[in-house]
Amino acid sequence: QVQLVESGGGLVQAGGSLRLSCAASGRTFSGYAMGWFRQAPGKEREFVAAISWSGYSTYYVDAVKGRFTISRDNTKNTMYLQLSSLKPEDTAVYYCAAGRTFGDRDYDYWGQGTQVTVSS
C-alpha cells in the first residue's frame, strides 16, 4: 500500500503560480511511477502529467505543456507539480497518483486531492 497526501493548493489570480506537493508513505516510493490528474466541476477527471520512477522521463497533456513542471525527490518521498501562467480553466481539484506503469493511466493509489482555484 502507498498512502498519498497532496498539499499546496489555493486561490491564485490568472497568470500566477502555485507548487503542489504529494507526500508518499508506505511502500518504496522510488519504485513507482507518479502522476497528477485534475477534475473540474462537472467534468471527468483528466490526466495532467506523469513522471517515471527515476524522474528522468516526464509526460504532459498538451494543455499544460510549457506551463506546468512535474518533478520528484525520492530522498524525500515527495512529488511536485509547479503550476505557472495559470488560467481560469486550470481550476480543479488536483490529485496525485502512484502506479507501476509510466503514462496517463493504470494508477493504483490515489490521494484525496487539493483544490486549485484560478480567478480571472
Side-chain angles (χ1 to χ4, degrees):
Q1 287 283 344
V2 176
Q3 292 78 44
L4 303 172
V5 178
E6 302 94 337
S7 62
L11 173 64
V12 63
Q13 290 187 333
S17 299
L18 283 174
R19 189 176 79 157
L20 306 184
S21 298
C22 173
S25 60
R27 304 189 72 173
T28 305
F29 175 73
S30 61
Y32 289 87
M34 302 291 294
W36 287 98
F37 291 74
R38 67 185 180 185
Q39 187 168 18
K43 295 187 177 180
E44 294 186 353
R45 186 171 60 191
E46 65 172 353
F47 168 78
V48 175
I51 189 166
S52 62
W53 67 269
S54 65
Y56 289 144
S57 297
T58 58
Y59 172 49
Y60 299 90
V61 69
D62 287 346
V64 308
K65 283 181 181 177
R67 300 189 298 120
F68 292 6
T69 303
I70 190 171
S71 62
R72 66 190 295 165
D73 185 341
N74 288 342
T75 66
K76 296 182 178 179
N77 289 353
T78 303
M79 176 180 64
Y80 306 97
L81 186 68
Q82 179 69 43
L83 290 68
S84 302
S85 302
L86 282 161
K87 304 175 181 180
E89 52 263 43
D90 295 318
T91 294
V93 177
Y94 283 70
Y95 299 89
C96 67
R100 290 296 187 183
T101 304
F102 170 64
D104 61 0
R105 64 192 67 192
D106 298 332
Y107 286 87
D108 302 309
Y109 304 103
W110 296 84
Q112 84 290 347
T114 186
Q115 176 71 48
V116 172
T117 303
V118 184
S119 64
S120 58

